[in-house]
Amino acid sequence: MAYQQYMQKERHRPPTKGFKCREDIEKEDHLTSVIFKCNLPHQQQHVVEFNCREPSCGALEGEEEGAVLSEDDYAVDPNFFDEGYSMAGSTGFKVWTGSRLLIEALTWPQETDCDRLKEIQECVRNEDGTRIIELGAGVGVVGTYLSAVGSHVLLTDLTTLVENAIDTNLERNERILSNMSIDDDNDKSCPSWLVNGQRIGKGWASATPLDWTKPISEQLTDKQASIDFIIASDVVFLASMMKSLFDTVEALFQTSKGNKSSFVLSFQKRDAQDGTDSIAFTTVDGVLAAVRDRGWTIECLAWRTVAVKKEDETGSVKDDTSEVFVFEIKDASS
């Protein structure tokens, strides 16, 4: 269990005081949606919202109110036959555990945060707009949140997620945050590299499809592929996805060499019944080994223990705990 060496006591991050999430139910044209909401730092009156198809998994803590759907509220997946769509893609229509810790770690500073995490927090709030690309953005929670606090973010995922979740959620939050006060110095036009970008709070965001199995040169412009940070949250629960993800990250490292970019990844330990030797599911040790195989470096910026539901060998679901990590991965040659 090599991952345990990354669970340093000083990197443990307790829940952030003041950061609150909740879920509401929205019905329109006989369709039921879950609206995931969370407040912005130092802007308690401003909340970002995300239309999801299902309640979140592990993203709510304590007494935060979650949505409960009946069997009648669940609809047949309308994108089931879309080209390139898969079970992995379908999981993108809900919010997962890692998104919460990644948002908190990058945008809600705590006194005990390590120096490197504090540096990244400053970059995220940079009034000149740090350039970020999010891989596997799902409904767009992390990327939209980072743009709301000042970053310039390109959110990417499968075409189905971009067209049926991210685009509509960007429009929703552009409207919601339209009355948010913005410093005059930060009130600039949309960066040219964010094609058809939208003003989200203090920053800008846009979305585009990105297939990890295809060359990025065929999908992104040179400017879109030259960034400061790559981010991703809970995107490789299946072991089969890790190679294509890391191939894409490696390509972005190469196109962003002058920026000395890094990859910030949140990942929940989901070791199955066969433990760290799982073949089907990505384990923390599997991530660490894949990073080492590419000659990259990895540092744990923060981690937390969360409450989860786990199925035992009899099929019974029981309360349990797991760990969520925020790693920073770098190309050692850059």
Side-chain angles (χ1 to χ4, degrees):
M1 294 188 181
Y3 74 87
Q4 291 184 341
Q5 67 181 292
Y6 292 91
M7 296 172 61
Q8 303 103 315
K9 183 178 179 180
E10 62 273 16
R11 300 294 169 91
H12 180 265
R13 207 170 199 272
T16 302
K17 193 174 297 184
F19 180 62
K20 301 295 181 184
C21 301
R22 74 175 193 275
E23 291 173 341
D24 295 331
I25 292 179
E26 186 173 277
K27 292 181 180 286
E28 184 176 351
D29 296 331
H30 306 292
L31 293 176
T32 302
S33 299
V34 174
I35 309 301
F36 183 86
K37 302 180 179 182
C38 47
N39 62 297
L40 297 176
H42 314 299
Q43 299 275 353
Q44 298 297 326
Q45 73 276 27
H46 291 296
V47 174
V48 284
E49 301 182 355
F50 304 90
N51 188 310
C52 311
R53 290 184 179 171
E54 297 181 24
S56 60
C57 181
L60 301 178
E61 295 184 349
E63 300 301 316
E64 292 176 344
E65 185 177 354
V68 179
L69 301 184
S70 68
E71 289 187 10
D72 293 338
D73 290 327
Y74 287 93
V76 175
D77 189 340
N79 304 110
F80 185 80
F81 294 105
D82 287 4
E83 182 179 356
Y85 195 54
S86 64
M87 182 189 76
S90 68
T91 64
F93 284 101
K94 65 193 295 183
V95 183
W96 295 85
T97 311
S99 296
R100 181 178 189 127
L101 182 57
L102 188 55
I103 286 172
E104 289 187 41
L106 298 185
T107 64
W108 288 77
Q110 293 185 6
E111 289 184 4
T112 56
D113 289 337
C114 67
D115 290 343
R116 176 54 183 162
L117 182 52
K118 291 177 179 177
E119 290 176 0
I120 297 175
Q121 291 165 352
E122 287 294 326
C123 290
V124 167
R125 297 192 301 270
N126 189 331
E127 65 180 19
D128 291 328
T130 294
R131 297 161 62 98
I132 297 174
I133 186 169
E134 181 176 13
L135 305 179
V139 296
V141 175
V142 178
T144 304
Y145 201 99
L146 295 183
S147 65
V149 301
S151 292
H152 297 166
V153 186
L154 179 63
L155 294 83
T156 70
D157 210 313
L158 299 174
T159 300
T160 297
L161 271 300
V162 171
E163 294 179 350
N164 296 280
I166 301 174
D167 281 345
T168 55
N169 281 326
L170 287 178
E171 292 172 4
R172 185 184 192 106
N173 286 288
E174 180 182 39
R175 182 177 67 255
I176 290 172
L177 300 179
S178 61
N179 63 343
M180 184 174 169
S181 60
I182 302 171
D183 296 336
D184 290 341
D185 291 342
N186 200 33
D187 191 13
K188 302 173 182 177
S189 58
C190 177
S192 59
W193 70 284
L194 289 177
V195 180
N196 298 321
Q198 293 163 276
R199 181 60 132 171
I200 309 291
K202 296 182 178 181
W204 293 88
S206 68
T208 192
L210 184 64
D211 185 335
W212 301 343
T213 65
K214 299 177 181 178
I216 63 170
S217 60
E218 298 176 2
Q219 305 175 80
L220 302 176
T221 67
D222 291 344
K223 288 185 177 180
Q224 288 174 330
S226 178
I227 42 77
D228 300 309
F229 290 100
I230 308 159
I231 62 168
S233 174
D234 275 335
V235 294
V236 284
F237 69 97
L238 291 176
S240 58
M241 301 166 64
M242 189 154 54
K243 182 182 183 301
S244 56
L245 169 67
F246 279 9
D247 285 347
T248 301
V249 171
E250 186 164 20
L252 288 168
F253 278 160
Q254 293 302 312
T255 56
S256 306
K257 263 191 177 301
N259 304 346
K260 296 184 177 180
S261 62
S262 67
F263 177 33
V264 181
L265 169 72
S266 69
F267 183 81
Q268 180 191 338
K269 183 169 78 71
R270 291 189 179 89
D271 298 351
Q273 293 173 17
D274 46 355
T276 57
D277 296 324
S278 176
I279 297 175
F281 297 96
T282 305
T283 64
V284 184
D285 285 351
V287 171
L288 299 178
V291 169
R292 288 193 299 268
D293 288 345
R294 293 182 184 249
W296 298 342
T297 63
I298 185 168
E299 177 183 5
C300 178
L301 300 175
W303 67 276
R304 177 183 299 165
T305 301
V306 295
V308 297
K309 301 284 187 182
K310 282 189 178 179
E311 184 176 310
D312 62 20
E313 60 276 4
T314 68
S316 300
V317 177
K318 298 181 178 180
D319 292 330
D320 205 335
T321 60
S322 185
E323 293 79 39
V324 183
F325 299 85
V326 174
F327 293 118
E328 182 180 30
I329 299 168
K330 294 182 178 181
D331 180 357
S333 65
S334 63

